[in-house]
Each structure stands twice: as structure tokens, then as C-alpha cells.
Amino acid sequence: MTQVLDLVGIFVFALSGALVGVRRRLDVVGMAVLASTTALGGGILRDLFLNITPAAFYSVGYVVTPLAATAIVFFWHPHVERVMPVVNVFDAAGLGLFCAVGTAKAMSHGLSPLHATLLGVITAVGGGVLRDVLAGQIPTLLYDRQFYAVPAMLGSAVMAVLSVMDLHGWPATLAAAVLAFGLRIAAMWFRFQAPLARGVSPQE
């Protein structure tokens, strides 16, 4: 079940990466690179930090899923753009799942709660950062005006705390993931934004 949810999250993240490729007028190869980087980059970074072989290097599904998302966007990107509100909901679910699973995996490998939380955030947003760098954009993580990294950070922190309290398994993962998901959905609905430095207007 966890792998199925993981692949769903990868698929949705890959859709967003491929759409960036369309907006940057990249060819199908560039779209596939951005889709795969967005979907798999965070998990690969996490596993490399943990000194383990990333699942993307031995699971066919992890490779095929971003390519399938690329094909869908390549042929039907206007339609995908139109259903982006729905895609964003699944993207928020992927964010919650990835930050919780990433933190739990880091804790299981002996990292401290603080470092596990940071690694959980990297799992959730690392692919997006790599995507933006490859696309020649300032990573959205550096100006979290869409309130994306903060829900991942809080979800990861809760997962780390639950692990310290010896609460493991899918109930703990679900609780942390739902928290991050709920905060992200609330941010989209109520247009929450991370604060700028005092005296700096949003237009600057």
C-alpha cells in the first residue's frame, strides 16, 4: 500500500515537472528530465544522505511512472493545465506523504529528530528545487510565497516527535501526512503566504 501511494505521489510530482518543461518550451527529453527530477529527486537525495541505494535505481515503477506522466503532459498539456486545481490536491497529498515517509526512514536509520526532520523536508521539496535549478528559475523554496515548505517542515517535525514517542507504523505516518496535507490545502484555500522581511513589499 505504501508503495502504491508513493507511486501516486511520484506521478503527480512528475506532472508538475513536465508542465514546467512545457512552459519553458523544452522538448520531450527536457520534459522527461524535469518530470523525473521533480518526482524522484527528493527521495534520491534522502537515500544518498542515508548511504542506501535509492529505490529509483532498482524499481522499474519508479522510472516508468515519471515517463508516463511526461507522455500525458506532452500530448494533453492544455487539459492537464485545466485540471490543475485537482492535481494540486494530489500534489499536497504527495507532499504530506513524502515528508512523513522521509522522516520515518531517516529516524529508522539512527538520525536525530532534528536531522530526520530536515531530511523529511528534503524528501518532500528536494525534487522541486532541482527542477527549478535545471529550468533556470529561482527555486520556489527560497521564496515560499505559496506556503509549500512550511507544511512539509511541520509534518516532518510531527513525524519525528511521534517516532521519539515510539509511535511507528502507518497510523503515525498518516497523522503526520494528513497534517502537512491539511496545512497545504488551507494555504491554497486561504492564500497563506510566508512573511517577507519587515518593510519589504510583495512587489519588490
Side-chain angles (χ1 to χ4, degrees), residues 31 35 39 48 82 113 134 148 153-154 159-160 166 176 178 189 192:
M31 291 171 58
L48 291 177
R82 281 198 290 271
L134 290 175
Y148 200 79
M153 189 176 300
L154 292 176
M159 188 71 238
D166 205 27
V178 168
W189 184 265
F192 294 155

Side-chain angles (χ1 to χ4, degrees), residues 25 56 69 73 80 89 105 126 136 150 160 168 173:
R25 304 182 65 83
V73 174
V80 177
V89 172
K105 194 169 187 178
V150 172
H168 307 283
T173 302

Side-chain angles (χ1 to χ4, degrees), residues 13-157:
F13 278 11
L15 286 179
S16 68
L19 282 173
V20 171
V22 173
R23 294 165 189 157
R24 303 295 287 183
R25 304 182 65 83
L26 302 183
D27 61 22
V28 65
V29 176
M31 291 171 58
V33 169
L34 290 188
S36 300
T37 300
T38 308
L40 304 175
I44 290 175
L45 286 174
R46 176 202 63 214
D47 291 346
L48 291 177
F49 283 135
L50 294 175
N51 197 30
I52 59 178
T53 303
F57 291 175
Y58 58 81
S59 173
V60 175
Y62 283 70
V63 177
V64 172
T65 300
L67 297 180
T70 301
I72 291 172
V73 174
F74 181 81
F75 289 106
W76 299 291
H77 60 88
H79 304 286
V80 177
E81 290 277 13
R82 281 198 290 271
V83 298
M84 273 308 292
V86 177
V87 174
N88 285 337
V89 172
F90 285 101
D91 181 85
L95 177 79
L97 176 67
F98 281 14
C99 74
V101 170
T103 304
K105 194 169 187 178
M107 291 290 291
S108 70
H109 280 76
L111 269 66
S112 71
L114 175 60
H115 293 98
T117 298
L118 293 176
L119 207 51
V121 174
I122 289 174
T123 304
V125 306
V129 172
L130 294 174
R131 174 203 63 209
D132 292 341
V133 170
L134 290 175
Q137 304 175 161
I138 298 175
T140 53
L141 181 65
L142 301 183
Y143 57 101
D144 196 23
R145 303 298 289 157
Q146 296 183 346
F147 218 66
Y148 200 79
V150 172
M153 189 176 300
L154 292 176
S156 297

